[in-house]
Amino acid sequence: YLSDIGWPINTWKGFIAERLFIDEADVKNSPLQELGSVPQAGDIKYKDINGDGRVNDDDQVHIGYPTVPEINYGFGLSAGHKNFDISTFFQGQARVSFFIDPNGQRDNNRFGIAPFVGHRGALKIIAEDHWNANNPVSQAFWPRLSASLNQNNSRQNSTWWLRNGSFLRMKTLEVGYTFPKSWFQPAGVVRIYFTGQNLFAISDFKLWDPEMTGNGLAYPLQRVYNVGLNVTF
């Protein structure tokens, strides 16, 4: 299971995340996690793949699809009826994964989403869905909160942060109407139109734009609208 033979490039190894530790008794009665920090209640519990009673680099396996899409595609449609016309283009990708970046410091021009580190606030999803002593759940979006980076939770590639990066986006849309020539003599053609870019995306991932991958605090892809008028004499 440690072999890289036969796996596509741009695939990652990581730990299988089972759940969050419920309490200290749960930590004590689980395989020892040797991942840079002593695990506590609310930290991510990883699977002991080889059954030696320890969780370390020997327990990493290939997880997810490659981080570079295996499939990129696009298609367009155009139609007209009487004086109306419409055209659109869709863009998509499939068989691709990404990791939510849980780090808290700037790293290679990327910002992780860990709250409090560097005096940062918390995203709404973290504030509403995290492990805490009053809510000691085994499944939450965010593990226990910490004012510093947690090596066990933030520095390990794992299925806890793995997401499906596939999406289908309406990249462009244009709708137009050409007025009858008799309306605007001596102008030959008068056409009014509306265009939109990045109007919506269909994806299993709902926290932010999937094309931003794991960098949830990056500048988002903009939605753009235009209205125009073409006049030909």
Side-chain angles (χ1 to χ4, degrees):
Y1 69 93
L2 296 175
S3 173
D4 292 327
I5 297 174
W7 288 91
I9 61 173
N10 298 309
T11 54
W12 288 74
K13 284 183 177 178
F15 296 101
I16 303 298
E18 295 185 320
R19 54 180 175 82
L20 300 178
F21 288 112
I22 298 298
D23 51 32
E24 293 303 324
D26 190 12
V27 176
K28 183 178 180 180
N29 294 318
S30 299
L32 179 64
Q33 298 193 175
E34 302 172 333
L35 302 176
S37 62
V38 178
Q40 302 179 33
D43 286 344
I44 301 172
K45 178 180 179 179
Y46 301 110
K47 186 174 182 179
D48 177 15
I49 297 294
N50 58 13
D52 64 355
R54 300 174 181 272
V55 177
N56 51 36
D57 288 346
D58 290 338
D59 297 293
Q60 294 194 47
V61 297
H62 287 275
I63 54 178
Y65 289 114
T67 52
V68 175
E70 294 188 319
I71 299 174
N72 285 292
Y73 63 95
F75 60 91
L77 301 170
S78 297
H81 178 68
K82 295 184 178 180
N83 290 14
F84 290 96
D85 62 88
I86 183 172
S87 62
T88 184
F89 180 76
F90 290 86
Q91 164 205 350
Q93 63 182 33
R95 293 183 63 86
V96 58
S97 297
F98 68 87
F99 292 93
I100 292 176
D101 185 357
N103 291 305
Q105 76 279 6
R106 185 168 183 167
D107 183 15
N108 295 325
N109 295 319
R110 296 173 61 88
F111 288 92
I113 62 172
F116 310 137
V117 179
H119 306 288
R120 177 183 300 150
L123 293 176
K124 181 179 179 181
I125 181 64
I126 298 176
E128 294 180 346
D129 189 16
H130 64 273
W131 184 97
N132 61 79
N134 296 321
N135 186 40
V137 294
S138 63
Q139 298 291 333
F141 172 75
W142 196 261
R144 67 180 177 91
L145 299 176
S146 174
S148 60
L149 284 180
N150 185 311
Q151 296 289 330
N152 186 87
N153 301 332
S154 300
R155 291 295 193 184
Q156 313 301 328
N157 287 330
S158 76
T159 55
W160 193 266
W161 305 116
L162 184 68
R163 296 296 187 273
N164 184 352
S166 300
F167 67 84
L168 173 63
R169 181 189 306 283
M170 176 180 275
K171 192 66 178 177
T172 61
L173 171 68
E174 181 170 330
V175 179
Y177 177 80
T178 302
F179 293 95
K181 292 183 179 180
S182 60
W183 286 23
F184 296 98
Q185 294 291 346
V189 177
V190 178
R191 177 178 177 268
I192 189 172
Y193 64 90
F194 162 84
T195 63
Q197 299 178 21
N198 306 318
L199 296 183
F200 66 85
I202 301 173
S203 172
D204 291 337
F205 185 73
K206 306 299 183 184
L207 297 183
W208 52 77
D209 192 305
E211 205 164 358
M212 294 165 59
T213 62
N215 196 7
L217 296 179
Y219 196 80
L221 196 64
Q222 290 183 309
R223 186 178 293 120
V224 181
Y225 306 96
N226 291 292
V227 175
L229 181 69
N230 289 334
V231 180
T232 303
F233 293 95

